[in-house]
Each structure stands twice: as C-alpha cells, then as structure tokens.
Amino acid sequence: NAGVTQTPKFRVLKTGQSMTLLCAQDMNHEYMYWYRQDPGMGLRLIHYSVGEGTTAKGEVPDGYNVSRLKKQNFLLGLESAAPSQTSVYFCAIHSLREAEETQYFGPGTRLLVL
Amino acid sequence: DQQVKQNSPSLSVQEGRISILNCDYTNSMFDYFLWYKKYPAEGPTFLISISSIKDKNEDGRFTVFLNKSAKHLSLHIVPSQPGDSAVYFCAASNQGGSEKLVFGKGTKLTVNP
C-alpha cells in the first residue's frame, strides 16, 4: 500500500529476546510511524519520525526503540521482548496524494512473544 | 483519556441497506478527521476524510458527516455490500492534516447477503 513494506510478516519470540522490525518506503516521504494494534484497542502510536535522523515518542513508547538513519527506512527495536508486546505492528507514512492528505499503512507484522 | 470514541464495537446490516458508523471526540482542537477500513491480516486503508471547515464530504457510496457542535462524525455507506464487511476506524488530528492521528477503537461492520 503506497509502497510501504514491512519485514518480517510474522515472528515468534521468547521473553527476553530482541528483534528489529523494518519498515521501508519506496518514495520520499518525510513522516514515518510505528503503531501497534491490539484487540479492542484500536491503533496506538509507538514512535514516529519527521525526517531522516529524527525520532519522537508516541502514546506507548515504553519497551521500544526506533532509528531513522536513512530516509527510506524506519526501524522498530525490541531490546527485551515481553508477552505484553504480543501485537500486530503497523508502519505508516504520511502522504499528500491527489489532494487527499492521509497516512498509508504497511501490511503489518504479527509478533507473538511467549 | 480516550479522545476519539467509537462506542459500537460491532454493527450488522443487510446488503443494500445503509450502514451508519459513528464516532465521537472530546478534543475541540481536532480539525481533520479520517475513516479507515481494515480487513483481517491487512493494513488499514484510507477511505475518506473531512476538514472541520466542512460538514459533509462524499466519495461514491461513502459520505462522512461532521457535527462540530456535538463533536460527532458519522460514516454512511449506501448501499452496503458484503465486501464492505471490515473493521472501520475513525481518526482525528489537531494539526490541520494527518501528520499526527488519534484513532478510535474501531467498529466491526458485517454486511449480510
């Protein structure tokens, strides 16, 4: 969707393990976002970036770190995974397209922490 | 404190009839509103948006109505089709655009053939 890809699609971790989720865009968008979606909770913003080299905290940043070393990529890291981080993670970019301003989402990464 | 509320977790409608999904917000500074549709195992997809300077925006079968005094917006789908069955999220922003969004919890719409 809008050239946003996420890697991996699915992952199982044990408590305490670390991993990095990759979001990549094939256009030149400045703003990128990481959300998590949990049943009955909607989409909650974890971290976001307004440009290369910048990051900022969202609504639920604890337990996560992010980096935006290249404009095309936004990485979400879990240093020590916990079962509470079992969720579906979505990356998004902000776009103004055909006079419609919105966020476009990637296909998601499903993470299970045992 | 939930700033964007979708009070109906689910809605069931017959094919061909109207679907009305509702959304309430508490932050009077919100000035841009969006609706997203989400199918299982896919990312949310943008449906329609409305700026606070308007009270209605229409795109094909989808119409969004905004009542600023009531802090309420609704999405109307006419006629409803089975392919419309999905979870619908309402989102709002106070920056005039969609750079920073607050989402509701979603309403699951089921359109029965």
Side-chain angles (χ1 to χ4, degrees):
Chain A
N1 192 1
V4 182
T5 59
Q6 292 185 231
T7 310
K9 287 186 171 52
F10 176 69
R11 183 78 184 267
V12 179
L13 285 180
K14 293 181 180 177
T15 297
Q17 286 185 318
S18 63
M19 79 163 292
T20 301
L21 285 70
L22 170 64
C23 175
Q25 56 156 323
D26 59 7
M27 286 166 281
N28 212 28
H29 300 290
E30 294 292 341
Y31 286 65
M32 297 185 75
Y33 311 82
W34 278 107
Y35 292 89
R36 61 179 288 174
Q37 191 208 357
D38 302 291
M41 294 297 292
L43 289 148
R44 293 182 293 170
L45 182 64
I46 305 171
H47 286 280
Y48 64 102
S49 168
V50 302
E52 181 178 315
T54 75
T55 63
K57 293 180 180 179
E59 179 187 355
V60 288
D62 294 342
Y64 305 95
N65 56 74
V66 286
S67 65
R68 184 106 180 260
L69 298 179
K70 290 183 180 180
K71 192 173 189 178
Q72 294 79 14
N73 298 334
F74 194 28
L75 280 67
L76 178 71
L78 287 74
E79 288 188 352
S80 178
S84 61
Q85 294 178 304
T86 293
S87 188
V88 182
Y89 292 86
F90 291 102
C91 176
I93 56 97
H94 172 260
S95 174
L96 179 59
R97 176 184 293 183
E98 296 175 1
E100 285 283 11
E101 183 173 349
T102 185
Q103 291 185 18
Y104 290 93
F105 287 80
T109 294
R110 187 173 296 273
L111 176 65
L112 174 61
V113 183
L114 301 174
Chain B
D1 180 32
Q2 198 180 347
Q3 299 186 71
V4 177
K5 301 177 184 178
Q6 293 177 256
N7 292 321
S8 298
S10 63
L11 174 68
S12 185
V13 171
Q14 281 301 116
E15 180 178 4
R17 308 295 287 266
I18 184 171
S19 294
I20 300 176
L21 296 101
N22 294 304
C23 179
D24 297 297
Y25 60 95
T26 57
N27 187 342
S28 58
M29 299 301 291
F30 285 148
D31 55 10
Y32 191 69
F33 305 88
L34 307 90
W35 284 95
Y36 287 84
K37 178 170 72 173
K38 186 184 178 305
Y39 293 120
E42 295 184 9
T45 55
F46 170 69
L47 256 183
I48 192 168
S49 62
I50 188 166
S51 165
S52 60
I53 62 172
K54 296 183 176 182
D55 54 19
K56 176 183 173 182
N57 189 25
E58 196 170 350
D59 183 3
R61 297 186 297 115
F62 302 91
T63 302
V64 56
F65 295 92
L66 176 62
N67 182 334
K68 289 187 289 293
S69 61
K71 295 192 182 70
H72 177 82
L73 64 155
S74 59
L75 175 68
H76 293 211
I77 306 173
V78 182
S80 301
Q81 300 173 354
D84 296 328
S85 296
V87 177
Y88 289 78
F89 291 102
C90 170
S93 167
N94 63 358
Q95 299 179 354
S98 61
E99 290 89 350
K100 196 122 176 263
L101 297 177
V102 178
F103 284 84
K105 294 184 177 182
T107 296
K108 183 177 182 180
L109 173 66
T110 302
V111 180
N112 301 303

